Amino acid sequence: MIGNKVFEDYKNSHTGQRVFLIGNGPSLSSKDLDLIEGEISFAMNRIPLLYDSTSWRPTYYLFSSTNVRPDKPWSNKWQLSVRAAMSDKNTTSFISSDFRQNIDPFGEFPHVKWFMTMSERKPNLQGEVDISCFSTDVVERIDKTGTTMNLALQLALYMNFSEIIFLGCDLGWSKDTGTENDPNHFDKDYVAEILRPEKTNNQMRNIHSLALKCFQESGKEVNFYNCTRDTVLDVYPLINFDDYITSGKIVYRNEELEEAKKYWNKKPQYANLVY
């Protein structure tokens, strides 16, 4: 096995620190990103669509999607976004080597950290994910199953953060065939195909619940908070972003959390902090 040597220097590199994991949901705004400028953060995929409206840039950028391959009619748009993220040398870009030929065929980005060993085990039609879909040793392999956010969660465990805050993790996907009026992301021009929204919603929620289970079994004490403005993700406590980021106060949004729970017809597949 080749493994992912690019991750070796990052083991326990953020012990005791907090990190923001940035999803790409419709509730994400450049104003919110302005508020976390200087914080450690992970972002992914087409996040550069917001770069013109904020000076914030992620500490780490992740990419591992087939959307850059030429069989996708929107591949050129996705390639441009990935290259925009890679071009910022203040951001550390971790990108799957599976897509190197599509993104950087001429080696123009020598500073990018290409990881070699990525597993992916497709969720079933109910969106259930196998327990192997979270790797606790990202040097051996990292897993893409369900969502790119899965990569960020595995790296957060490996880097040993003690507080993990989610922003822009809306869920609640609706069907879209890759139109230029994308209802599921922060920009209508994001363009992503969601053909089975119920499955997509379930698999993303289940990946969060699997990650939480693995964190708990690691024995590490980690606080998880969902600060997303408008969300049905119900695995973690839901708190007020403005209070948290401006004064460090934990103000729970319990009524909104109870409403989020009503979106689902069963509990998360693995672990949760709120049921």
Side-chain angles (χ1 to χ4, degrees), residues 80-98:
L80 287 172
S81 288
V82 179
R83 290 186 186 120
M86 293 160 60
S87 296
D88 193 315
K89 294 186 179 179
N90 291 320
T91 294
T92 298
S93 293
F94 294 117
I95 300 180
S96 171
S97 61
D98 291 347

mmCIF file with all atom_site columns, all heavy atoms in Angstrom, residues 80-98:
data_model
loop_
_atom_site.group_PDB
_atom_site.id
_atom_site.type_symbol
_atom_site.label_atom_id
_atom_site.label_alt_id
_atom_site.label_comp_id
_atom_site.label_asym_id
_atom_site.label_entity_id
_atom_site.label_seq_id
_atom_site.pdbx_PDB_ins_code
_atom_site.Cartn_x
_atom_site.Cartn_y
_atom_site.Cartn_z
_atom_site.occupancy
_atom_site.B_iso_or_equiv
_atom_site.pdbx_formal_charge
_atom_site.auth_seq_id
_atom_site.auth_comp_id
_atom_site.auth_asym_id
_atom_site.auth_atom_id
_atom_site.pdbx_PDB_model_num
ATOM 1   N N   . LEU A 1 80 ? -11.789 25.218 -12.460 1.00 0.00 ? 80 LEU A N   1
ATOM 2   C CA  . LEU A 1 80 ? -11.399 26.598 -12.171 1.00 0.00 ? 80 LEU A CA  1
ATOM 3   C C   . LEU A 1 80 ? -11.452 26.882 -10.671 1.00 0.00 ? 80 LEU A C   1
ATOM 4   O O   . LEU A 1 80 ? -10.563 27.548 -10.124 1.00 0.00 ? 80 LEU A O   1
ATOM 5   C CB  . LEU A 1 80 ? -12.304 27.576 -12.927 1.00 0.00 ? 80 LEU A CB  1
ATOM 6   C CG  . LEU A 1 80 ? -12.082 27.673 -14.433 1.00 0.00 ? 80 LEU A CG  1
ATOM 7   C CD1 . LEU A 1 80 ? -13.173 28.525 -15.082 1.00 0.00 ? 80 LEU A CD1 1
ATOM 8   C CD2 . LEU A 1 80 ? -10.703 28.271 -14.743 1.00 0.00 ? 80 LEU A CD2 1
ATOM 9   N N   . SER A 1 81 ? -12.480 26.371 -10.000 1.00 0.00 ? 81 SER A N   1
ATOM 10  C CA  . SER A 1 81 ? -12.591 26.590 -8.555  1.00 0.00 ? 81 SER A CA  1
ATOM 11  C C   . SER A 1 81 ? -11.467 25.896 -7.792  1.00 0.00 ? 81 SER A C   1
ATOM 12  O O   . SER A 1 81 ? -10.872 26.469 -6.874  1.00 0.00 ? 81 SER A O   1
ATOM 13  C CB  . SER A 1 81 ? -13.946 26.097 -8.049  1.00 0.00 ? 81 SER A CB  1
ATOM 14  O OG  . SER A 1 81 ? -14.987 26.936 -8.470  1.00 0.00 ? 81 SER A OG  1
ATOM 15  N N   . VAL A 1 82 ? -11.174 24.667 -8.173  1.00 0.00 ? 82 VAL A N   1
ATOM 16  C CA  . VAL A 1 82 ? -10.108 23.934 -7.483  1.00 0.00 ? 82 VAL A CA  1
ATOM 17  C C   . VAL A 1 82 ? -8.768  24.638 -7.686  1.00 0.00 ? 82 VAL A C   1
ATOM 18  O O   . VAL A 1 82 ? -7.984  24.807 -6.743  1.00 0.00 ? 82 VAL A O   1
ATOM 19  C CB  . VAL A 1 82 ? -10.043 22.474 -7.948  1.00 0.00 ? 82 VAL A CB  1
ATOM 20  C CG1 . VAL A 1 82 ? -8.915  21.731 -7.240  1.00 0.00 ? 82 VAL A CG1 1
ATOM 21  C CG2 . VAL A 1 82 ? -11.373 21.770 -7.688  1.00 0.00 ? 82 VAL A CG2 1
ATOM 22  N N   . ARG A 1 83 ? -8.506  25.077 -8.890  1.00 0.00 ? 83 ARG A N   1
ATOM 23  C CA  . ARG A 1 83 ? -7.248  25.778 -9.162  1.00 0.00 ? 83 ARG A CA  1
ATOM 24  C C   . ARG A 1 83 ? -7.164  27.100 -8.397  1.00 0.00 ? 83 ARG A C   1
ATOM 25  O O   . ARG A 1 83 ? -6.081  27.506 -7.957  1.00 0.00 ? 83 ARG A O   1
ATOM 26  C CB  . ARG A 1 83 ? -7.092  26.011 -10.659 1.00 0.00 ? 83 ARG A CB  1
ATOM 27  C CG  . ARG A 1 83 ? -6.840  24.726 -11.444 1.00 0.00 ? 83 ARG A CG  1
ATOM 28  C CD  . ARG A 1 83 ? -6.552  25.005 -12.904 1.00 0.00 ? 83 ARG A CD  1
ATOM 29  N NE  . ARG A 1 83 ? -6.463  23.759 -13.666 1.00 0.00 ? 83 ARG A NE  1
ATOM 30  C CZ  . ARG A 1 83 ? -7.246  23.434 -14.683 1.00 0.00 ? 83 ARG A CZ  1
ATOM 31  N NH1 . ARG A 1 83 ? -8.195  24.278 -15.085 1.00 0.00 ? 83 ARG A NH1 1
ATOM 32  N NH2 . ARG A 1 83 ? -7.095  22.286 -15.312 1.00 0.00 ? 83 ARG A NH2 1
ATOM 33  N N   . ALA A 1 84 ? -8.286  27.771 -8.239  1.00 0.00 ? 84 ALA A N   1
ATOM 34  C CA  . ALA A 1 84 ? -8.293  29.015 -7.464  1.00 0.00 ? 84 ALA A CA  1
ATOM 35  C C   . ALA A 1 84 ? -7.900  28.747 -6.016  1.00 0.00 ? 84 ALA A C   1
ATOM 36  O O   . ALA A 1 84 ? -7.140  29.507 -5.408  1.00 0.00 ? 84 ALA A O   1
ATOM 37  C CB  . ALA A 1 84 ? -9.668  29.667 -7.529  1.00 0.00 ? 84 ALA A CB  1
ATOM 38  N N   . ALA A 1 85 ? -8.409  27.649 -5.453  1.00 0.00 ? 85 ALA A N   1
ATOM 39  C CA  . ALA A 1 85 ? -8.039  27.286 -4.086  1.00 0.00 ? 85 ALA A CA  1
ATOM 40  C C   . ALA A 1 85 ? -6.564  26.906 -4.004  1.00 0.00 ? 85 ALA A C   1
ATOM 41  O O   . ALA A 1 85 ? -5.841  27.321 -3.088  1.00 0.00 ? 85 ALA A O   1
ATOM 42  C CB  . ALA A 1 85 ? -8.906  26.132 -3.600  1.00 0.00 ? 85 ALA A CB  1
ATOM 43  N N   . MET A 1 86 ? -6.097  26.125 -4.968  1.00 0.00 ? 86 MET A N   1
ATOM 44  C CA  . MET A 1 86 ? -4.702  25.687 -4.993  1.00 0.00 ? 86 MET A CA  1
ATOM 45  C C   . MET A 1 86 ? -3.735  26.855 -5.158  1.00 0.00 ? 86 MET A C   1
ATOM 46  O O   . MET A 1 86 ? -2.586  26.797 -4.707  1.00 0.00 ? 86 MET A O   1
ATOM 47  C CB  . MET A 1 86 ? -4.499  24.705 -6.147  1.00 0.00 ? 86 MET A CB  1
ATOM 48  C CG  . MET A 1 86 ? -5.226  23.388 -5.982  1.00 0.00 ? 86 MET A CG  1
ATOM 49  S SD  . MET A 1 86 ? -5.445  22.499 -7.546  1.00 0.00 ? 86 MET A SD  1
ATOM 50  C CE  . MET A 1 86 ? -3.759  22.253 -8.074  1.00 0.00 ? 86 MET A CE  1
ATOM 51  N N   . SER A 1 87 ? -4.185  27.916 -5.795  1.00 0.00 ? 87 SER A N   1
ATOM 52  C CA  . SER A 1 87 ? -3.309  29.044 -6.093  1.00 0.00 ? 87 SER A CA  1
ATOM 53  C C   . SER A 1 87 ? -2.982  29.887 -4.869  1.00 0.00 ? 87 SER A C   1
ATOM 54  O O   . SER A 1 87 ? -2.012  30.647 -4.886  1.00 0.00 ? 87 SER A O   1
ATOM 55  C CB  . SER A 1 87 ? -3.970  29.942 -7.159  1.00 0.00 ? 87 SER A CB  1
ATOM 56  O OG  . SER A 1 87 ? -4.127  29.242 -8.376  1.00 0.00 ? 87 SER A OG  1
ATOM 57  N N   . ASP A 1 88 ? -3.773  29.772 -3.831  1.00 0.00 ? 88 ASP A N   1
ATOM 58  C CA  . ASP A 1 88 ? -3.532  30.545 -2.612  1.00 0.00 ? 88 ASP A CA  1
ATOM 59  C C   . ASP A 1 88 ? -2.511  29.802 -1.747  1.00 0.00 ? 88 ASP A C   1
ATOM 60  O O   . ASP A 1 88 ? -2.821  28.784 -1.134  1.00 0.00 ? 88 ASP A O   1
ATOM 61  C CB  . ASP A 1 88 ? -4.831  30.752 -1.848  1.00 0.00 ? 88 ASP A CB  1
ATOM 62  C CG  . ASP A 1 88 ? -4.697  31.811 -0.761  1.00 0.00 ? 88 ASP A CG  1
ATOM 63  O OD1 . ASP A 1 88 ? -3.683  31.770 -0.029  1.00 0.00 ? 88 ASP A OD1 1
ATOM 64  O OD2 . ASP A 1 88 ? -5.575  32.676 -0.652  1.00 0.00 ? 88 ASP A OD2 1
ATOM 65  N N   . LYS A 1 89 ? -1.306  30.340 -1.691  1.00 0.00 ? 89 LYS A N   1
ATOM 66  C CA  . LYS A 1 89 ? -0.230  29.645 -0.985  1.00 0.00 ? 89 LYS A CA  1
ATOM 67  C C   . LYS A 1 89 ? -0.322  29.773 0.535   1.00 0.00 ? 89 LYS A C   1
ATOM 68  O O   . LYS A 1 89 ? 0.458   29.148 1.254   1.00 0.00 ? 89 LYS A O   1
ATOM 69  C CB  . LYS A 1 89 ? 1.116   30.134 -1.498  1.00 0.00 ? 89 LYS A CB  1
ATOM 70  C CG  . LYS A 1 89 ? 1.350   29.743 -2.954  1.00 0.00 ? 89 LYS A CG  1
ATOM 71  C CD  . LYS A 1 89 ? 2.736   30.103 -3.439  1.00 0.00 ? 89 LYS A CD  1
ATOM 72  C CE  . LYS A 1 89 ? 2.918   29.668 -4.894  1.00 0.00 ? 89 LYS A CE  1
ATOM 73  N NZ  . LYS A 1 89 ? 4.266   30.017 -5.419  1.00 0.00 ? 89 LYS A NZ  1
ATOM 74  N N   . ASN A 1 90 ? -1.272  30.575 1.020   1.00 0.00 ? 90 ASN A N   1
ATOM 75  C CA  . ASN A 1 90 ? -1.511  30.628 2.463   1.00 0.00 ? 90 ASN A CA  1
ATOM 76  C C   . ASN A 1 90 ? -2.455  29.515 2.917   1.00 0.00 ? 90 ASN A C   1
ATOM 77  O O   . ASN A 1 90 ? -2.666  29.325 4.107   1.00 0.00 ? 90 ASN A O   1
ATOM 78  C CB  . ASN A 1 90 ? -2.096  31.993 2.851   1.00 0.00 ? 90 ASN A CB  1
ATOM 79  C CG  . ASN A 1 90 ? -1.087  33.108 2.691   1.00 0.00 ? 90 ASN A CG  1
ATOM 80  O OD1 . ASN A 1 90 ? 0.083   32.938 3.014   1.00 0.00 ? 90 ASN A OD1 1
ATOM 81  N ND2 . ASN A 1 90 ? -1.531  34.241 2.170   1.00 0.00 ? 90 ASN A ND2 1
ATOM 82  N N   . THR A 1 91 ? -3.016  28.801 1.956   1.00 0.00 ? 91 THR A N   1
ATOM 83  C CA  . THR A 1 91 ? -3.870  27.660 2.239   1.00 0.00 ? 91 THR A CA  1
ATOM 84  C C   . THR A 1 91 ? -3.116  26.374 1.909   1.00 0.00 ? 91 THR A C   1
ATOM 85  O O   . THR A 1 91 ? -2.493  26.278 0.858   1.00 0.00 ? 91 THR A O   1
ATOM 86  C CB  . THR A 1 91 ? -5.156  27.712 1.383   1.00 0.00 ? 91 THR A CB  1
ATOM 87  O OG1 . THR A 1 91 ? -5.940  28.844 1.773   1.00 0.00 ? 91 THR A OG1 1
ATOM 88  C CG2 . THR A 1 91 ? -5.989  26.448 1.560   1.00 0.00 ? 91 THR A CG2 1
ATOM 89  N N   . THR A 1 92 ? -3.163  25.420 2.824   1.00 0.00 ? 92 THR A N   1
ATOM 90  C CA  . THR A 1 92 ? -2.601  24.099 2.555   1.00 0.00 ? 92 THR A CA  1
ATOM 91  C C   . THR A 1 92 ? -3.666  23.264 1.859   1.00 0.00 ? 92 THR A C   1
ATOM 92  O O   . THR A 1 92 ? -4.734  23.027 2.415   1.00 0.00 ? 92 THR A O   1
ATOM 93  C CB  . THR A 1 92 ? -2.161  23.412 3.855   1.00 0.00 ? 92 THR A CB  1
ATOM 94  O OG1 . THR A 1 92 ? -1.134  24.199 4.480   1.00 0.00 ? 92 THR A OG1 1
ATOM 95  C CG2 . THR A 1 92 ? -1.624  22.014 3.571   1.00 0.00 ? 92 THR A CG2 1
ATOM 96  N N   . SER A 1 93 ? -3.386  22.842 0.639   1.00 0.00 ? 93 SER A N   1
ATOM 97  C CA  . SER A 1 93 ? -4.351  22.083 -0.151  1.00 0.00 ? 93 SER A CA  1
ATOM 98  C C   . SER A 1 93 ? -4.014  20.600 -0.129  1.00 0.00 ? 93 SER A C   1
ATOM 99  O O   . SER A 1 93 ? -2.941  20.198 -0.571  1.00 0.00 ? 93 SER A O   1
ATOM 100 C CB  . SER A 1 93 ? -4.369  22.587 -1.601  1.00 0.00 ? 93 SER A CB  1
ATOM 101 O OG  . SER A 1 93 ? -4.870  23.904 -1.670  1.00 0.00 ? 93 SER A OG  1
ATOM 102 N N   . PHE A 1 94 ? -4.937  19.811 0.384   1.00 0.00 ? 94 PHE A N   1
ATOM 103 C CA  . PHE A 1 94 ? -4.847  18.352 0.336   1.00 0.00 ? 94 PHE A CA  1
ATOM 104 C C   . PHE A 1 94 ? -5.814  17.873 -0.746  1.00 0.00 ? 94 PHE A C   1
ATOM 105 O O   . PHE A 1 94 ? -7.040  18.044 -0.619  1.00 0.00 ? 94 PHE A O   1
ATOM 106 C CB  . PHE A 1 94 ? -5.242  17.728 1.670   1.00 0.00 ? 94 PHE A CB  1
ATOM 107 C CG  . PHE A 1 94 ? -4.318  18.018 2.810   1.00 0.00 ? 94 PHE A CG  1
ATOM 108 C CD1 . PHE A 1 94 ? -4.767  18.723 3.920   1.00 0.00 ? 94 PHE A CD1 1
ATOM 109 C CD2 . PHE A 1 94 ? -3.009  17.577 2.792   1.00 0.00 ? 94 PHE A CD2 1
ATOM 110 C CE1 . PHE A 1 94 ? -3.929  18.980 4.995   1.00 0.00 ? 94 PHE A CE1 1
ATOM 111 C CE2 . PHE A 1 94 ? -2.150  17.831 3.862   1.00 0.00 ? 94 PHE A CE2 1
ATOM 112 C CZ  . PHE A 1 94 ? -2.606  18.541 4.964   1.00 0.00 ? 94 PHE A CZ  1
ATOM 113 N N   . ILE A 1 95 ? -5.290  17.270 -1.801  1.00 0.00 ? 95 ILE A N   1
ATOM 114 C CA  . ILE A 1 95 ? -6.125  16.895 -2.938  1.00 0.00 ? 95 ILE A CA  1
ATOM 115 C C   . ILE A 1 95 ? -5.805  15.463 -3.358  1.00 0.00 ? 95 ILE A C   1
ATOM 116 O O   . ILE A 1 95 ? -4.644  15.058 -3.407  1.00 0.00 ? 95 ILE A O   1
ATOM 117 C CB  . ILE A 1 95 ? -5.914  17.868 -4.115  1.00 0.00 ? 95 ILE A CB  1
ATOM 118 C CG1 . ILE A 1 95 ? -6.275  19.291 -3.669  1.00 0.00 ? 95 ILE A CG1 1
ATOM 119 C CG2 . ILE A 1 95 ? -6.732  17.451 -5.335  1.00 0.00 ? 95 ILE A CG2 1
ATOM 120 C CD1 . ILE A 1 95 ? -6.104  20.341 -4.735  1.00 0.00 ? 95 ILE A CD1 1
ATOM 121 N N   . SER A 1 96 ? -6.855  14.721 -3.680  1.00 0.00 ? 96 SER A N   1
ATOM 122 C CA  . SER A 1 96 ? -6.671  13.332 -4.098  1.00 0.00 ? 96 SER A CA  1
ATOM 123 C C   . SER A 1 96 ? -5.920  13.267 -5.429  1.00 0.00 ? 96 SER A C   1
ATOM 124 O O   . SER A 1 96 ? -6.288  13.927 -6.400  1.00 0.00 ? 96 SER A O   1
ATOM 125 C CB  . SER A 1 96 ? -8.029  12.645 -4.240  1.00 0.00 ? 96 SER A CB  1
ATOM 126 O OG  . SER A 1 96 ? -7.869  11.381 -4.846  1.00 0.00 ? 96 SER A OG  1
ATOM 127 N N   . SER A 1 97 ? -4.896  12.440 -5.469  1.00 0.00 ? 97 SER A N   1
ATOM 128 C CA  . SER A 1 97 ? -4.104  12.276 -6.689  1.00 0.00 ? 97 SER A CA  1
ATOM 129 C C   . SER A 1 97 ? -4.917  11.635 -7.816  1.00 0.00 ? 97 SER A C   1
ATOM 130 O O   . SER A 1 97 ? -4.505  11.673 -8.977  1.00 0.00 ? 97 SER A O   1
ATOM 131 C CB  . SER A 1 97 ? -2.853  11.435 -6.403  1.00 0.00 ? 97 SER A CB  1
ATOM 132 O OG  . SER A 1 97 ? -3.218  10.137 -5.953  1.00 0.00 ? 97 SER A OG  1
ATOM 133 N N   . ASP A 1 98 ? -6.082  11.075 -7.480  1.00 0.00 ? 98 ASP A N   1
ATOM 134 C CA  . ASP A 1 98 ? -6.949  10.496 -8.505  1.00 0.00 ? 98 ASP A CA  1
ATOM 135 C C   . ASP A 1 98 ? -7.360  11.537 -9.546  1.00 0.00 ? 98 ASP A C   1
ATOM 136 O O   . ASP A 1 98 ? -7.701  11.185 -10.686 1.00 0.00 ? 98 ASP A O   1
ATOM 137 C CB  . ASP A 1 98 ? -8.224  9.920  -7.879  1.00 0.00 ? 98 ASP A CB  1
ATOM 138 C CG  . ASP A 1 98 ? -7.959  8.677  -7.037  1.00 0.00 ? 98 ASP A CG  1
ATOM 139 O OD1 . ASP A 1 98 ? -6.844  8.116  -7.141  1.00 0.00 ? 98 ASP A OD1 1
ATOM 140 O OD2 . ASP A 1 98 ? -8.853  8.271  -6.289  1.00 0.00 ? 98 ASP A OD2 1
#
